[in-house]
Amino acid sequence: MNIRLMSIAALAATLTACGGGGGGDSSNGLTPTPNTSTTPAALSVFVTDDISAQYRKVWVTVMQVSAVDSSGAEHKLYQDATGKVFNLPELDGIGALLNTAPLAAGDYQSLNITLANTAELVDRNGLTVTARFNDAGTPQVIEVAADFTVADGQSSAVALDFDLKQFNYDATSGIVSPVIVFQNETQVKELERRYAKLEGAVSAITDASHFTLRSTARAPLITVTLAPNVTVVNELTRIIAADTSALAVDDRVDVYGNYDSSTLTLSAVSIRIDNDSSNNLTARDKAEGMVTSYDGSTLVLDVREANFIPGNNTLNVVNVSNALFTKGNLVTLQAGMQVEIRGHWDGSLLNAKIVEIEGAAPATGLGAGAEDYAEVQGLITAHEGDILTLQVMKTERANIAIGSSLSVDIANAWLKTGSDACLIDGAYVEIKGAMNNAGNDGFIGRTIEIEGGCGTASANDPSTGHDDSSSVNDTGDDDSSGVNDAGDNDFSDVSDGGDDDSSGVTDTGDDTDSSAQVEVKGVVTALTDDLVTLRIIKAEGFLPAGDTVTADIVDAWYEDGDRARLGVNSLVEIKGIWTNDQIIASKVEFEW
């Protein structure tokens, strides 16, 4: 599992509410930029991840990130005594922005990350284990060798890849030994998607749909554009707006949306105003995830992201019936929905104050009734302007025949993953929105999530051999390490030639190691006895010859379903051993 912690020469904004926002330099602990004749640049720090075969969730807390220059001097880029909490596996393909700070032009040789000593691991069976990085009980400082240059006044990006495949957990001692790999700006740009949750102060309001935000006193300004279907919520007054009318200069805000590090701009889909964090009416604690059940009293959340460590695989949420719904409403709420809940965490329960149902209508828009929410998944067969045509493979809360063709209006949709260039024929997408009963029963999309980045056209391009989950754009590289080499598609950190085993041995042309564990995610196109053929969305650990791969599933075990559920159009992830011809599957996991 790879987690890339990225910095863009404008270190701007936090992924979730961070202690570095809005105040002067002394409040955030950032090292003043040295006096030089050059113009400081902006370096943005992100976190991202890939897939873990062993753990569903890995919670860590990032407390500090610093850059070390060629003289050995340390320059703090982010610092928060409480720290920023991340569930690493949830950041699959995401560049999650941590913070923004100025950094002097010059050469830098390493990046130091400080982690809180406690880590929480949740395995595939839901067993939760509390681990440590050291026995001293103090924060763990990890030095990552790096070699990058910040140009005079020019924003750029680097990454810190938390390579979880190489993490080692000793159950006897309870110690986790992390491995982190540096990646440069070119590698960072290979990420499939970028999103950010920024905290800061409003510095100016341009018009009804634009304002500027500053995360710290010295940080560069971020230009925020309000996206369609945005909600602007005042957490104290519980007033909801759809423009900047609820904002005022110096308001403290959390902003969530798509971030462009090269231009320091963000398209916001959610804005929260919180001017008094000491007031117990504010919703400082927040969690995102999937609703597993709601009985009218307690909501059980399979938590994916939070700004606190939940202490378990799931989270119990109370007071939902009295909460303010900013998208959707209580009638709409049901198991299987993705939600963000903000409120007060007491160590065992989250007392809800604000609830947002992803893909539901904003409370400021249409009625947001129970009929105003649906989900559809399928393959893109055409894309013209703001209209996508899907071959439907799965629906929720919509009377649409599987296999039918569906017209989807995406004019006002938020592209949660990928980019416009990813909306190509053959891409597999999940769209949340509502049936357009007034318009020939088409579908109105509000959020779009692209499975596997940009689909097979970019994720598994035989012309480049690049089909990994790293951000390395090299030749024949399909591993999960940060190694920029040729022909390397193993899981080691060894820069070798033609090595695609998992032995870590520096060799040439070795592709016969039968112990090489691989993973592939895709859509089933054929099933004959115990042989299944997948149209590849994402492959890791091997180099397929084309867009499809065959797996022998005779000895596989199943997760989230059984053999009877497997059929054409199933979206699955298969793990096993690559024989250079097919995968001998050990596990089949249903993605929906």
Side-chain angles (χ1 to χ4, degrees), residues 9 59 121 137 157 173 193 196 227 248 259 263 274 288 335-336 343 350-351 397 450 506 514 523 528 543 582-583:
W59 297 90
L121 315 176
S173 65
R193 66 169 173 165
Y259 177 70
T263 59
D274 176 17
E288 296 180 42
L350 180 62
N351 191 306
R397 298 168 66 91
I450 301 171
T506 303
S514 61
V523 177
T528 305
L543 184 61
Q582 65 180 10
I583 297 173

Side-chain angles (χ1 to χ4, degrees), residues 90 94 193 195 197 229 231 256 269-270 272 287-291 301 304-305 325-329 332-334 336-341 355-362 372-376 397 414-417 430-434 443 445-450:
E90 185 61 15
I94 298 172
R193 66 169 173 165
Y195 77 77
K197 292 182 182 177
N229 292 323
T231 55
Y256 179 18
V269 295
S270 178
R272 300 288 186 267
E288 296 180 42
M290 180 178 291
V291 178
L301 188 71
R304 309 294 177 83
E305 296 181 28
F325 279 74
T326 59
K327 290 185 179 179
N329 59 21
T332 315
L333 185 66
Q334 68 174 231
M337 289 182 168
Q338 290 284 132
V339 297
E340 175 181 309
I341 301 176
V355 177
E356 178 176 297
I357 299 174
E358 182 181 297
D372 201 35
Y373 177 90
E375 300 177 22
V376 61
R397 298 168 66 91
W414 173 44
L415 194 58
K416 186 176 179 182
T417 65
E430 175 181 321
I431 303 178
K432 297 176 182 177
F443 195 85
R446 296 197 184 101
T447 67
I448 304 174
E449 188 164 352
I450 301 171

Side-chain angles (χ1 to χ4, degrees), residues 503-519:
S503 63
V505 179
T506 303
D507 51 16
T508 303
D510 175 15
D511 60 358
T512 60
D513 187 352
S514 61
S515 65
Q517 293 293 316
V518 302
E519 302 174 7

Side-chain angles (χ1 to χ4, degrees), residues 8-87:
I8 306 180
L11 252 147
T14 51
L15 175 74
T16 52
C18 147
D25 294 348
S26 62
S27 67
N28 56 46
L30 301 180
T31 303
T33 303
N35 292 325
T36 67
S37 58
T38 62
T39 304
L43 195 65
S44 304
V45 176
F46 294 85
V47 177
T48 187
D49 182 32
D50 187 352
I51 299 170
S52 171
Q54 186 173 2
Y55 296 107
R56 292 180 57 198
K57 301 172 185 178
V58 179
W59 297 90
V60 300
T61 306
V62 180
M63 302 177 70
Q64 183 172 301
V65 178
S66 300
V68 180
D69 64 25
S70 55
S71 70
E74 188 171 350
H75 307 271
K76 291 187 180 69
L77 304 174
Y78 165 77
Q79 185 177 47
D80 185 346
T82 302
K84 185 62 53 195
V85 176
F86 295 104
N87 174 26

